[in-house]
């Protein structure tokens, strides 16, 4: 039985009292409702917790930093896959909006998900005060203390602007195991505030790996981008050497852009994957690579 969100949040507020290992074991029990087996992890969730404690390669910090990763990606696969950068600032009040185009995206370089993202599709209607509030809130948040994701510990926080790519862009999240891009997770309707996730294999068949996929009607599908094979190949190439990493890409009018490296999806507390999927992915993660 999952004990609920409130006990987990209480423990997270007191995270400074606990060393990494006992903290993760306690948080896992409160969040997932079962013991965390770090001595012999089997599932993906368990192995991601193990990797949080074991992975200490400084490269990971530069890969999860949304600014420094741009140069890494440009060297690895080409600058054409990198969303153009429009500006970088240490604080929100340093931003000179007059220098930005009519459409742009503001992000913080250390945050996950949509927490540190503000989209401007028309500067004449852009709410600067709301953007300041959201991005300053993001700057004050640290992933490491509450979730123990070590790569985020030493990121120097910044705000940056990127080229606007569109409003309803589909997220393609490739689950990769040491160079094997096993499948892709699509995220749709994120901009509407109602994100929906579906897994597909390389042959574009729906995989009933999560709750939403399991409940999808027979024959359910989503549009397949023309460059899906290219994205699978890029994800496989860039994930070589990592026991697991989720490689994120965007498709914009037939052109793909790199999104981010995600080493610990849902921070290893994902209860939307089916138990058999959690074990299947866990079997594919080779911890001996660390």
């Amino acid at each position: 039985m999952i004990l609920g969100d409130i006990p987990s949040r209480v423990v997270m507020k007191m995270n400074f009292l606990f060393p990494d290992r006992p903290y993760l074991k306690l948080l896992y029990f409160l969040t997932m409702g079962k013991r965390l087996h770090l001595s012999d992890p089997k599932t993906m969730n368990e192995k991601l917790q193990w990797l949080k404690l074991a992975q200490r390669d400084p490269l990971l910090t530069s890969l999860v930093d949304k600014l420094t990763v741009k140069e890494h990606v440009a060297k690895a696969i080409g600058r054409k896959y990198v969303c153009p950068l429009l500006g970088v600032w240490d604080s929100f009040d340093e931003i000179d909006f007059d220098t930005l185009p009519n459409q742009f995206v503001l992000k913080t370089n250390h945050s996950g998900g949509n927490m540190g993202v503000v989209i401007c599709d028309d500067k004449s209607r852009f709410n600067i005060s709301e953007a300041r509030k959201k991005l300053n809130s993001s700057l004050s948040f640290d992933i490491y203390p509450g979730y123990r994701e070590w790569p985020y510990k030493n990121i120097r926080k910044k705000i940056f602007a990127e080229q606007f790519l569109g409003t309803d862009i589909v997220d393609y999240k490739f689950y990769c195991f040491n160079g094997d891009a096993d499948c892709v997770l699509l995220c749709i309707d994120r901009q509407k505030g109602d994100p929906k996730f579906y897994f597909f294999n390389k042959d574009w068949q729906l995989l009933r790996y999560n709750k939403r996929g399991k409940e999808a009607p027979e024959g359910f599908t989503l549009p397949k981008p023309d460059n899906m094979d290219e994205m699978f190949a890029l994800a496989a190439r860039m994930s070589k050497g990592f026991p697991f990493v989720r490689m994120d890409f965007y498709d914009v009018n037939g052109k793909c852009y790199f999104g981010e490296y995600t080493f610990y999806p849902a921070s290893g507390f994902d209860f939307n994957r089916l138990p058999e999927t959690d074990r299947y992915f866990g079997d594919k993660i080779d911890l001996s690579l660390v």
Side-chain angles (χ1 to χ4, degrees):
M1 179 182 70
I2 298 174
L3 300 184
D5 191 47
I6 294 178
S8 299
R9 290 187 178 276
V10 170
V11 169
M12 291 178 73
K13 286 183 180 296
M14 298 188 298
N15 67 77
F16 58 91
L17 296 174
F18 301 90
D20 290 351
R21 189 180 182 93
Y23 175 76
L24 286 175
K25 294 184 79 167
L26 177 59
L27 187 62
Y28 192 87
F29 177 73
L30 293 175
T31 304
M32 307 302 292
K34 51 189 173 184
R35 290 179 57 197
L36 172 59
H37 301 283
L38 288 173
S39 59
D40 187 24
K42 299 294 186 184
T43 68
M44 182 178 207
N45 279 329
E46 288 182 331
K47 288 191 175 183
L48 292 184
Q49 305 301 334
W50 187 95
L51 287 167
K52 287 183 191 179
L53 299 171
Q55 288 181 309
R56 292 294 184 267
D57 185 347
L59 173 63
L60 270 62
T61 296
S62 67
L63 295 181
V64 300
D65 183 324
K66 293 180 175 63
L67 278 171
T68 57
V69 73
K70 286 179 177 291
E71 195 58 35
H72 174 87
V73 173
K75 291 178 180 178
I77 58 175
R79 197 166 295 279
K80 67 178 181 178
Y81 296 107
V82 179
C83 185
L85 186 66
L86 303 177
V88 182
W89 306 273
D90 290 320
S91 68
F92 187 90
D93 291 330
E94 292 180 6
I95 302 173
D96 183 357
F97 286 95
D98 291 337
T99 65
L100 294 175
N102 186 52
Q103 297 178 314
F104 55 87
V105 178
L106 294 176
K107 297 180 179 180
T108 51
N109 65 322
H110 73 292
S111 60
N114 248 7
M115 180 179 183
V117 179
V118 175
I119 298 173
C120 173
D121 57 6
D122 183 350
K123 197 158 62 170
S124 67
R125 297 185 290 107
F126 186 58
N127 191 325
I128 291 180
S129 62
E130 284 299 313
R132 178 187 288 109
K133 180 179 179 181
K134 183 172 184 179
L135 292 173
N136 283 343
S137 175
S138 177
L139 287 175
S140 68
F141 177 76
D142 290 309
I143 292 178
Y144 170 71
Y147 295 99
R148 294 303 203 270
E149 297 188 20
W150 180 86
Y152 291 91
K153 184 177 182 180
N154 298 312
I155 293 179
R156 183 181 175 188
K157 300 176 187 175
K158 292 181 179 292
I159 296 173
F160 65 100
E162 281 184 341
Q163 179 179 309
F164 176 81
L165 298 178
T167 54
D168 196 18
I169 299 174
V170 178
D171 232 336
Y172 297 96
K173 304 173 182 294
F174 295 84
Y175 276 57
C176 302
F177 306 85
N178 187 25
D180 170 27
D182 179 84
C183 59
V184 60
L185 177 65
L186 275 66
C187 176
I188 62 173
D189 294 339
R190 184 187 293 278
Q191 284 79 12
K192 298 177 182 177
D194 183 27
K196 301 178 181 68
F197 299 92
Y198 297 95
F199 284 95
F200 285 82
N201 63 16
K202 295 175 184 177
D203 296 323
W204 210 246
Q205 298 167 325
L206 175 71
L207 300 171
R208 301 184 184 275
Y209 280 175
N210 60 350
K211 293 178 181 178
R212 188 172 292 277
K214 183 178 181 179
E215 296 167 358
E218 194 67 32
F220 174 87
T221 191
L222 291 170
K224 177 183 177 181
D226 292 338
N227 58 10
M228 181 53 66
D229 291 343
E230 179 185 12
M231 288 192 283
F232 260 106
L234 291 171
R237 177 177 170 185
M238 296 173 68
S239 66
K240 186 69 175 175
F242 300 110
F244 169 80
V245 63
R246 197 190 73 202
M247 302 297 308
D248 295 2
F249 286 88
Y250 302 103
D251 171 63
V252 182
N253 299 321
K255 181 177 180 180
C256 63
Y257 289 93
F258 167 81
E260 62 184 66
Y261 279 84
T262 301
F263 290 96
Y264 318 105
S267 203
F269 299 103
D270 193 330
F271 45 81
N272 286 308
R273 281 193 305 268
L274 300 180
E276 54 268 32
T277 307
D278 201 26
R279 182 58 187 263
Y280 167 70
F281 284 156
D283 288 343
K284 294 181 71 68
I285 297 176
D286 182 1
L287 299 181
S288 69
L289 292 170
V290 177

